[in-house]
Amino acid sequence: MGDQLTHIDAKGNAQMVDVTDKAVTQREARATATVSMQPETLSMIVKGEHKKGDVLTVARIAGIQAAKKCADLIPLCHPLMLSSIKVELSPVPEENCVRIEAVCKLAGQTGVEMEALTAASVAALTIYDMCKAVDKGMVIGDVRLLEKLGGRSGHWQAVP
């Protein structure tokens, strides 16, 4: 934890990190989020009975779109040319939730952790938005980075 905050300059001002001299490397990040809900809500999603349409497909598309828009949402993120975005949504009936996993990749000078986290978060928010009329008590949680690969800091993985 001894690393300095890279988005703050010597005077304490916010700044976008200068990556000009960093090497282009393959980078990848995996993030997750969970949406917990009533069993009836999950059943409706799984059976495709929601009047607004296919909740999981819409959430997947929203997550992909969000990763591409990350720099528009988070002020100090670099706009990136992502080479791959995957968003998987898995209903878990025994836990009454949908687990979301987002993976973003690129060959570039900066990491894709924020893009993966944004994809997972927005996919979760989309599930909430589509289902809030039938289940206002849904809980979005467990939003976190699972793994990152590439760059100067190399491979990092969350402790299970």
Side-chain angles (χ1 to χ4, degrees), residues 31-35 87-90 98-102 119-121 123-124 127:
T32 189
T34 303
V35 184
V87 179
E88 295 299 324
L89 296 101
S90 304
V98 174
R99 280 210 186 102
I100 302 159
E101 187 171 300
S121 299
I127 292 171

Side-chain angles (χ1 to χ4, degrees), residues 2-95:
D3 294 335
Q4 287 185 284
L5 296 174
T6 57
H7 289 82
I8 306 294
D9 69 13
K11 295 179 182 176
N13 297 312
Q15 67 176 358
M16 180 183 270
V17 175
D18 184 353
V19 297
T20 306
D21 296 328
K22 289 176 83 174
V24 172
T25 61
Q26 299 296 318
R27 296 161 185 266
E28 179 177 333
R30 271 188 326 121
T32 189
T34 303
V35 184
S36 300
M37 60 194 68
Q38 294 297 317
E40 301 79 23
T41 308
L42 184 60
S43 177
M44 176 192 65
I45 291 170
V46 170
K47 291 177 182 175
E49 296 172 346
H50 197 296
K51 65 182 180 181
K52 288 185 178 181
D54 185 340
V55 173
L56 299 180
T57 296
V58 173
R60 178 178 292 109
I61 293 168
I64 292 167
Q65 199 169 346
K68 295 191 290 185
K69 294 290 191 180
C70 185
D72 293 336
L73 300 169
I74 301 175
L76 302 178
C77 282
H78 294 85
L80 301 178
M81 183 63 89
L82 297 169
S83 57
S84 176
I85 306 166
K86 292 187 175 136
V87 179
E88 295 299 324
L89 296 101
S90 304
V92 185
E94 56 275 7
E95 296 178 23

